């Protein structure tokens, strides 16, 4: 089963994709995570990605399309995948259709997460994660049970994404409205879109998504 999660930054795509990895044995394909790995490795791609991500802009379509196509060809994706953060433009969505049909694959579910955009800035600027296991937290909504200690692994180091500051978040939301929101209509016109209430609790959103997956 191949699933596409759509929604603005901070909608909870990554959180729900990680759930689906656990509950359905699918693989999360996050182009943002792939780019952050490139930044950490210090490669040429990473240097380009850092400048673009810090500005809250988007990376070139051709590069992202190649990146996701190569990733889908990896053997672990054969059991199914969740696209998180790709496609982000109409050109990426069209290329994805073409690419999947060439590979003999298709999207089984396209799920849009409905959110209140005003609440997103607070959601994003407050989030941080365990540097060891990646468990997600929030300054206001989800602090660790013991201050400074990860609930999941006991780690004591936490990180924040460089692009989760207010100025960059506002630029990312503007990019979403201009470049990414139109693809919601693209999938709607194909009759392939369902949506869930993304402002509910993590468990409630997960239940709603579950109810929309093919049986
Ligand atoms: P994300 O982790 O999905 O919020 O992505 C973080 C940043 O990576 C974005 O703000 C973009 O700069 C870049 N990025 C991630 N995915 C894409 C994509 N499909 N196309 C263009 N840029 C992307």
């Amino acid at each position: 089963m191949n699933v596409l999660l759509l929604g603005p930054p901070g909608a909870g795509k990554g959180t729900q994709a990680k759930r689906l990895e656990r509950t359905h044995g699918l693989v999360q394909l996050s182009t943002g995570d792939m780019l952050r790995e490139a930044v950490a490795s210090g490669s040429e791609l990473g240097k380009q990605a850092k400048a673009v991500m810090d500005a809250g802009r988007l990376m070139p379509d051709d590069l992202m399309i190649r990146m996701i196509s190569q990733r889908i060809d990896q053997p672990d994706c054969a059991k199914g995948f969740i696209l998180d953060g790709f496609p982000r433009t109409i050109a990426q969505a069209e290329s994805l259709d073409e690419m999947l049909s060439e590979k003999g694959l298709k999207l089984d579910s396209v799920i849009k997460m409905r959110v209140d955009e005003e609440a997103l800035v607070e959601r994003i600027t407050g989030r941080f994660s365990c540097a060891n296991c990646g468990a997600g937290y929030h300054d206001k909504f989800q602090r660790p049970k013991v201050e400074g200690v990860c609930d999941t692994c006991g780690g004591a180091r936490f990180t924040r994404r460089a692009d989760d500051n207010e100025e960059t978040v506002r630029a990312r939301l503007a990019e979403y409205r201009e470049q990414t929101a139109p693809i919601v209509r693209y999938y709607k016109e194909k009759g392939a879109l369902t949506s869930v209430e993304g402002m509910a609790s993590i468990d409630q959103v997960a239940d709603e998504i579950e109810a929309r997956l093919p049986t």
Side-chain angles (χ1 to χ4, degrees):
M1 167 167 66
N2 303 317
V3 181
L4 166 57
L5 294 180
L6 278 178
K13 301 185 297 295
T15 303
Q16 296 299 332
K18 287 195 174 65
R19 280 265 183 140
L20 289 169
E21 283 198 302
R22 288 203 301 276
T23 53
H24 288 268
L26 306 174
V27 184
Q28 176 190 13
L29 302 185
S30 157
T31 40
D33 284 350
M34 293 174 205
L35 292 171
R36 279 183 285 280
E37 276 166 31
V39 173
S41 79
S43 64
E44 276 309 309
L45 168 68
K47 285 184 194 134
Q48 180 188 359
K50 180 162 173 32
V52 171
M53 290 163 94
D54 284 352
R57 306 300 302 270
L58 293 182
M59 290 289 281
D61 286 333
D62 55 341
L63 212 148
M64 301 312 299
I65 290 160
R66 225 177 314 129
M67 180 181 269
I68 208 79
S69 175
Q70 287 169 359
R71 183 64 188 88
I72 288 174
D73 289 339
Q74 300 296 308
D76 61 334
C77 289
K79 54 191 171 188
F81 51 80
I82 311 133
L83 290 172
D84 158 14
F86 183 95
R88 250 179 162 97
T89 61
I90 291 279
Q92 291 182 18
E94 287 171 350
S95 296
L96 176 66
D97 273 348
E98 219 170 280
M99 173 201 311
L100 290 178
S101 80
E102 276 167 17
K103 295 181 198 292
L105 299 170
K106 66 179 175 62
L107 293 175
D108 298 287
S109 207
V110 180
I111 302 172
K112 180 187 172 224
M113 303 178 67
R114 290 190 305 270
V115 284
D116 163 9
E117 278 202 28
E118 271 314 298
L120 290 180
V121 177
E122 187 181 28
R123 254 202 196 189
I124 299 174
T125 54
R127 67 187 182 181
F128 62 100
S129 60
C130 172
N132 180 48
C133 74
Y137 296 97
H138 193 281
D139 290 329
K140 206 163 161 188
F141 309 124
Q142 200 187 351
R143 301 199 64 87
K145 290 193 185 81
V146 177
E147 201 58 34
V149 181
C150 174
D151 298 347
T152 309
C153 75
R157 276 201 319 116
F158 296 88
T159 59
R160 284 174 198 268
R161 279 174 47 169
D163 59 350
D164 276 353
N165 64 81
E166 179 159 353
E167 193 188 343
T168 308
V169 169
R170 294 209 181 270
R172 287 159 64 197
L173 289 171
E175 282 287 60
Y176 177 81
R177 279 191 294 271
E178 275 168 37
Q179 307 268 11
T180 312
I183 72 177
V184 169
R185 187 145 150 229
Y186 174 86
Y187 287 108
K188 209 181 260 170
E189 280 169 3
K190 285 167 147 291
L193 188 85
T194 57
S195 68
V196 298
E197 175 48 58
M199 298 311 286
S201 73
I202 292 173
D203 286 344
Q204 281 170 317
V205 178
D207 287 347
E208 271 205 57
I209 288 177
E210 189 62 43
R212 280 159 182 74
L213 297 178
T215 44

